[in-house]
Amino acid sequence: MNQPFRTPDLPLTTQAAEGLMRRRWSVAEIEAMLRAGVIPENERIELIGGEVVPMSPKGIRHEVVKVNLTRYFDRHLPEEILVAQETTLRLDQDTFVEPDLIFYRRADGLANLSPETALLVVEVADASLAYDLHRKVRLYAAFGVRAAIVIEAQSLVAHLHRSPGPEGYRERLTIGPDEPLPFDIAPPLGLRLRDLPLV
C-alpha cells in the first residue's frame, strides 16, 4: 500500500523562521514533481526565485470578472491576438507565474510563450491585491513583460503598468471603472469595466 507523501492533517504551507536557508527549486524540478504526482495538478502555486508560493483562493467576484473579461476579449480582439486564462508563464529557470489572462500573437503560439512574446498580462485581484500590485508587477517588469494590468475585482479600478525596466514599470496609470481601458496591443476597444455584465 502506497504511503502518502504528507500526513493529511498537516497544513500545505510552512513559514520558516527568518534567517533559515531554504532549498531553491527550479521550474524543471517542479514540473517533474507535477508529472510524478508529488504535487497535485490542481494545487495553485507559483515559483518565485526558486521558492514555491501558494496562490490566494479565488472568490466568486474574481471569477465573474475574469470570465466576463475573457468573453469580451474573445469577441473584440483582432484575429491575430489571442488571450489565454491562467496559463503558466515561465520567466526563467527558477520562476513561473500564472496570470489570470495573458495576451499573445497567434503567430508566436502558446508553446512559445515567454516574457518577450507576452503582449500583456492581466491580474484580477481580490485578496491578492497588495501582492499583485507590488511584488508581482515588479517581477513582470524585471523580466521585460511589456505591460501589466491589475484590476481590483470589487471596485473595478484598473492599474495599468507600461515601459518595463529593472526597477519596475516607468509608467503607471489608474483607470476608473467608467473610463475606457487603454490597450496598446489592439485598436481602441472602448472597454469600460463598469459595462461588463458581471453576473
Side-chain angles (χ1 to χ4, degrees), residues 82-181:
L82 297 178
V83 59
Q85 290 187 54
E86 294 180 3
T87 295
T88 300
L89 175 59
R90 292 161 185 84
L91 299 176
D92 70 2
Q93 64 182 4
D94 68 1
T95 302
F96 70 78
V97 291
E98 291 199 355
D100 287 308
L101 302 175
I102 188 162
F103 297 76
Y104 60 97
R105 288 189 183 87
R106 184 184 297 275
D108 291 329
L110 194 57
N112 297 315
L113 196 57
S114 70
E116 292 76 32
T117 62
L119 302 174
L120 169 69
V121 295
V122 174
E123 297 286 356
V124 179
D126 205 340
S128 63
L129 181 60
Y131 175 72
D132 289 342
L133 268 179
H134 301 289
R135 185 169 186 194
K136 208 158 180 189
V137 162
R138 283 197 307 270
L139 197 64
Y140 288 135
F143 283 96
V145 175
R146 297 168 208 210
I149 297 176
V150 176
I151 297 171
E152 298 184 32
Q154 297 301 324
S155 68
L156 298 180
V157 169
H159 305 271
L160 173 63
H161 302 80
R162 294 188 284 210
S163 301
E167 302 302 316
Y169 286 98
R170 290 181 285 274
E171 183 183 355
R172 296 182 208 101
L173 298 172
T174 300
I175 300 114
D178 297 310
E179 301 174 69
L181 207 54

